[in-house]
Amino acid sequence: MNHELRSHNLWVLSWPIFIEEITGGLVFLADAYFLSRISDEVAATVGVLLPVLLLGFFIIPMFTTAGTSVASQYMGAKQTQHILPTYMANIGISSLLGLLMFIVSFIYADRVGLWLGMTPELNAHSETYLLAVSFSFFCIAVRFSYASILASRGMTHWNMATALATNALNVILNAAFFLGWFGLPKMGLLGIAMATSISFAVGALLVMWVVHGPMKIRFRFKGMSGPIRRVMRPILKIGIPSAMEPFSYTVQQIVVSMAVISLGLEAMGANTYVLRVLVVEITFAFALGAGSQILMAHFMGAENFKEVNRIFWKSVAYASGFAFINMLMFVWIYDSLLTLFTDNQQIIELSKWMLAACIIMEPARAVNIIAGMGLKGVGDARFSAVNSMIFMWAVIPFVFWVGLDMGYGMLGVWMCFVVDESLRAVINLWRWRTGKWRSKGIRHDNDEGGLAEVPA
């Protein structure tokens, strides 16, 4: 089995990830478009549910990156005997997590909207959507844990290809279920949710075929219990903090959604549509972060700290610069952009000022994405997670105080997040400059599987 990295070029690894993620973002935009054709009420309801969906759509993929980082470090360290157990352990843990999320979300689908403060009418939309989309959580777990195998080898072009096929299917099914193509009944909201679940299931099957077909990777189970147990510690060391950070973010957003709901339909609509628009720069930062994470983990395993540092600062500069330029453009064309989704002038006007605030917030968010993924890639996942969780929870009282009590509404809520992202960016950059990450790598110190950290 070949354990070499396909390329050491950041852009070669990152651009397929960007295409993969941006097409996924375009699917969310397509969803928003079809939902808005039903009504602003339905679109806003699903938008407010986004934090709940992120419990699976965000946390599981972030957890699976632990497998990418650990396997990449073993490749860089030439400790190939630990790679296959890492793949198998990552798939097993992630699949169990996805199955648990599917079961819980399916059982409680009829109550989630009420817990968020929705009216019974809005909760009916919420229940319909969650019942149909909940199976996606398990499919995502399988898909992304298998995709982490390809990512650790630099085979990001395969992940891109399977994602393109999956996302194209999603859009086609959206239109088919919504418009009644191919003799199908028009199913509205239910059809849009079903399209998501079906496409994710197909995507999981496709990436499994790539791993076991063209890549010719074969899992074996005889005699693997010991090696799998030995790699569990480094996977969980990175995976748990990697999952806890998006978990905290998701719970934070669920709480914030309660504030947004209380501010009315215009706030809900503006929040939904602006978040859809931000997909582009967030996706670019994530793709660059994922590509740099693969490279940094390989160089970390080889103890080439100079290259690790160079890749980090290069990624920070490109991601934050792109976010700044992109947001300037969006503010300039905001009217044409937002009229794609709604003709409600109150929503459009509110969205304009939210986008203006993003000129500061999005470059800072880009820094946090790159720094967070970089620190996880080199094994310093705990600091990034703890730092993020502290700020995520600290900002919530200010959201309610400024947005609701002081009467600044959705703009007040948004400005709290500007401060939050900016302060975290400063702290993350400071942490990197201390150089403590040099002592956080994960390695085995002998063939018996003893665990040791990379020396500074």
Side-chain angles (χ1 to χ4, degrees):
M1 189 187 300
N2 180 19
H3 293 300
E4 294 298 319
L5 186 64
R6 181 173 71 98
S7 174
H8 287 85
N9 184 294
L10 177 60
W11 297 110
V12 169
L13 297 178
S14 298
W15 79 262
I17 301 173
F18 177 74
I19 299 299
E20 173 189 354
E21 295 297 326
I22 198 64
T23 54
L26 291 175
V27 168
F28 275 105
L29 286 174
D31 285 352
Y33 173 79
F34 283 114
L35 290 168
S36 67
R37 296 308 94 184
I38 301 173
S39 71
D40 279 337
E41 180 183 89
V42 169
T45 299
V46 175
V48 172
L49 280 177
L50 185 60
V52 177
L53 301 178
L54 287 178
L55 286 170
F57 293 174
F58 187 22
I59 292 173
I60 293 173
M62 289 303 294
F63 180 88
T64 63
T65 62
T68 305
S69 297
V70 173
S72 295
Q73 287 198 43
Y74 286 144
M75 288 181 192
K78 307 298 182 184
Q79 295 181 353
T80 58
Q81 72 274 21
H82 303 301
I83 296 174
L84 190 61
T86 299
Y87 292 158
M88 296 176 68
N90 197 41
I91 291 171
I93 298 170
S94 301
S95 298
L96 287 174
L97 181 61
L99 182 62
L100 177 63
M101 288 187 177
F102 159 52
I103 293 171
V104 172
S105 61
F106 188 85
I107 291 174
Y108 292 102
D110 62 333
R111 306 176 211 178
V112 171
L114 296 176
W115 290 339
L116 291 173
M118 294 182 186
T119 63
E121 292 76 15
L122 294 178
N123 183 61
H125 299 316
S126 170
E127 180 183 1
T128 297
Y129 190 81
L130 285 175
L131 283 174
V133 86
S134 58
F135 183 64
S136 298
F137 294 157
F138 176 71
C139 298
I140 285 172
V142 174
R143 174 185 170 184
F144 280 90
S145 56
Y146 266 85
S148 72
I149 297 175
L150 300 174
S152 70
R153 295 163 177 265
M155 301 293 182
T156 51
H157 61 300
W158 273 116
N159 285 335
M160 176 189 69
T162 57
L164 286 174
T166 301
N167 295 332
L169 177 63
N170 196 338
V171 174
I172 292 170
L173 290 176
N174 264 339
F177 288 136
F178 184 80
L179 300 172
W181 289 357
F182 314 119
L184 294 170
K186 296 181 180 181
M187 290 186 281
L189 177 60
L190 177 61
I192 293 171
M194 287 177 58
T196 299
S197 287
I198 293 171
S199 61
F200 275 128
V202 172
L205 293 174
L206 282 175
V207 76
M208 288 173 70
W209 170 77
V210 172
V211 168
H212 297 305
M215 293 298 298
K216 295 181 171 61
I217 296 174
R218 301 288 183 266
F219 294 159
R220 63 178 187 272
F221 297 93
K222 185 177 180 180
M224 291 296 289
S225 59
I228 288 175
R229 284 197 303 271
R230 281 192 286 271
V231 300
M232 291 285 282
R233 177 184 169 187
I235 289 175
L236 294 176
K237 177 184 174 183
I238 296 177
I240 291 176
S242 296
M244 287 306 299
E245 182 178 346
F247 176 77
S248 291
Y249 173 79
T250 302
V251 175
Q252 179 216 53
Q253 289 299 301
I254 291 173
V255 175
V256 170
S257 292
M258 298 178 185
V260 174
I261 291 171
S262 70
L263 290 171
L265 182 61
E266 285 74 22
M268 290 171 62
N271 187 63
T272 297
Y273 299 138
V274 170
L275 287 176
R276 293 296 191 270
V277 168
L278 296 182
V279 162
V280 176
E281 68 273 3
I282 293 174
T283 300
F284 182 84
F286 178 83
L288 206 58
S292 63
Q293 185 182 49
I294 295 168
L295 279 180
M296 290 163 69
H298 274 266
F299 286 125
M300 191 71 182
E303 300 182 48
N304 189 343
F305 301 136
K306 182 178 179 180
E307 275 300 294
V308 174
N309 192 56
R310 183 187 67 82
I311 293 166
F312 175 82
W313 289 109
K314 180 179 180 180
S315 300
V316 165
Y318 280 118
S320 58
F322 178 85
F324 179 73
I325 294 171
N326 203 46
M327 290 315 306
L328 285 177
M329 182 187 70
F330 281 168
V331 171
W332 184 34
I333 64 169
Y334 81 94
D335 194 57
S336 300
L337 190 66
L338 292 167
T339 50
L340 292 173
F341 304 109
T342 182
D343 56 4
N344 186 318
Q345 287 303 311
Q346 289 180 296
I347 293 178
I348 292 174
E349 183 68 15
L350 178 56
S351 299
K352 175 185 71 174
W353 292 107
M354 291 168 66
L355 287 171
C358 288
I359 294 174
I360 299 173
M361 183 169 75
E362 290 310 303
R365 192 204 300 265
V367 170
N368 290 327
I369 291 172
I370 297 293
M373 297 187 76
L375 289 168
K376 294 180 184 82
V378 298
D380 195 10
R382 185 180 301 171
F383 177 85
S384 174
V386 171
N387 173 43
S388 298
M389 286 189 287
I390 289 173
F391 276 88
M392 285 174 192
W393 289 109
V395 77
I396 289 178
F398 291 96
V399 165
F400 282 87
W401 179 45
V402 176
L404 275 64
D405 296 344
M406 296 182 67
Y408 287 99
M410 199 62 212
L411 285 180
V413 172
W414 219 243
M415 290 309 299
C416 290
F417 289 129
V418 172
V419 175
D420 168 39
E421 294 285 355
S422 301
L423 288 176
R424 282 198 288 129
V426 170
I427 293 173
N428 277 325
L429 292 178
W430 165 80
R431 175 67 174 189
W432 187 266
R433 289 183 66 88
T434 65
K436 292 183 179 180
W437 52 268
R438 291 180 172 86
S439 64
K440 300 295 183 179
I442 299 170
R443 298 186 66 181
H444 287 259
D445 59 6
N446 55 53
D447 289 338
E448 275 72 38
L451 293 170
E453 292 189 336
V454 177

